[in-house]
Amino acid sequence: MPARLSLLLFSALPLFAASGSSFSLLGISPGKDASSLSVPMQIVLLLTLLTLLPAAVMSITPFLRIVVVLHFLRQALGTQSTPSNQVLIGLALFLTIVIMQPVVADMYHQGWEPMEAGRLTPAQAFDQGAKPLRVFLARYAREKDIRLFVEMAHAPAPHSPADLDLTVLMPAYILSELKTGFQIGAVLFLPFLLIDLVVASVTISVGMMQLPPVMISAPFKILLFVLVDGWNLVVGSLMKSFY
């Protein structure tokens, strides 16, 4: 199996089962050497993980924050469908790959490689491979959101971030990223909202009641965004927020 495919598919392991779960519950038996899965079961497992990969990319990676901010930016500019959804999603996806590359590489080296070499069982490989992802999620999940899901899961209070289970960290991270994305989007709206207010005041004062203010303010907003090199500022700030 190509290493690149293994690297991508292993990143979806945290969505497949709770930490420490055994793959024997799924009826998957070890191979002939009793240390690895048989080839047909590996194919079934990887195809299953492949179906869960889009959900993992969209929810437990920086893709969530980036795509929310880019959507707010397009709304603030008032350019309707420009850039298109495909362009925004593609930009968010490539930025996510850049940010998550070290995390996924650590997951691959700590979990998948030892399992392929026969040094770890699948359950042990899951535990080891999930550690870099757990550190990443705990870094950006708010304490308030973590406390909420710890209480909902009726889990004991953790002594350190390493004690947090992925079933708590994942939804807490999603809520935290949604709040962060909305906060950044609100800040992006302010300068463009100011332009809309000024243009609306001018058009009303000169009696241009039949001409929508948005038609006049849109060129000014686009011009302002281009003059300040807005794409570089927005993308650069988003990338720096994860480092």
Side-chain angles (χ1 to χ4, degrees):
M1 180 180 299
R4 187 69 63 180
L5 178 61
S6 302
L7 178 63
L8 291 174
L9 294 180
F10 187 75
S11 64
L13 275 175
L15 293 181
F16 187 70
S19 177
S21 61
S22 174
F23 289 94
S24 62
L25 297 176
L26 302 175
I28 299 177
S29 57
K32 293 182 179 180
D33 57 354
S35 62
S36 62
L37 301 177
S38 61
V39 174
M41 291 301 100
Q42 288 185 22
I43 295 175
V44 172
L45 176 62
L46 292 176
L47 289 178
T48 303
L49 296 178
L50 185 60
T51 62
L52 299 175
L53 187 59
V57 171
M58 289 187 293
S59 58
I60 59 173
T61 65
F63 181 90
L64 177 60
R65 181 191 302 187
I66 295 172
V67 77
V68 168
V69 171
L70 293 179
H71 172 75
F72 274 111
L73 176 62
R74 186 176 65 180
Q75 293 293 107
L77 286 172
T79 54
Q80 302 299 326
S81 59
T82 304
S84 64
N85 290 331
Q86 290 83 354
V87 173
L88 294 184
I89 292 175
L91 176 60
L93 181 61
F94 283 112
L95 295 179
T96 301
I97 292 174
V98 173
I99 297 172
M100 290 297 294
Q101 184 177 359
V103 179
V104 177
D106 289 341
M107 295 172 65
Y108 177 75
H109 293 312
Q110 295 183 24
W112 191 271
E113 281 186 344
M115 187 181 70
E116 283 190 327
R119 299 193 300 269
L120 295 177
T121 64
Q124 293 173 337
F126 172 81
D127 290 336
Q128 293 297 320
K131 287 182 179 179
L133 180 63
R134 186 181 288 110
V135 172
F136 175 81
L137 297 178
R139 183 184 306 167
Y140 299 104
R142 297 186 306 160
E143 182 179 351
K144 181 179 180 181
D145 296 325
I146 293 176
R147 187 184 304 112
L148 170 64
F149 287 100
V150 167
E151 294 175 355
M152 293 178 63
H154 301 288
H159 299 287
S160 65
D163 298 332
L164 291 170
D165 194 76
L166 286 174
T167 56
V168 172
L169 280 175
M170 288 180 187
Y173 172 82
I174 294 173
L175 284 186
S176 301
E177 289 296 283
L178 285 175
K179 180 178 180 179
T180 303
F182 273 70
Q183 288 175 337
I184 299 175
V187 174
L188 286 175
F189 252 103
L190 293 179
F192 301 110
L193 179 60
L194 181 61
I195 294 177
D196 285 331
L197 291 175
V198 172
V199 171
S201 299
V202 172
T203 54
I204 293 175
S205 63
V206 298
M208 301 173 61
M209 305 297 295
Q210 296 181 351
L211 183 63
V214 178
M215 297 293 295
I216 303 176
S217 63
F220 290 102
K221 291 190 290 186
I222 296 174
L223 180 61
L224 173 64
F225 190 72
V226 172
L227 288 177
V228 300
D229 198 6
W231 287 112
N232 183 277
L233 290 176
V234 172
V235 173
S237 299
L238 281 173
M239 296 292 287
K240 291 176 182 178
S241 66
F242 287 99
Y243 289 99

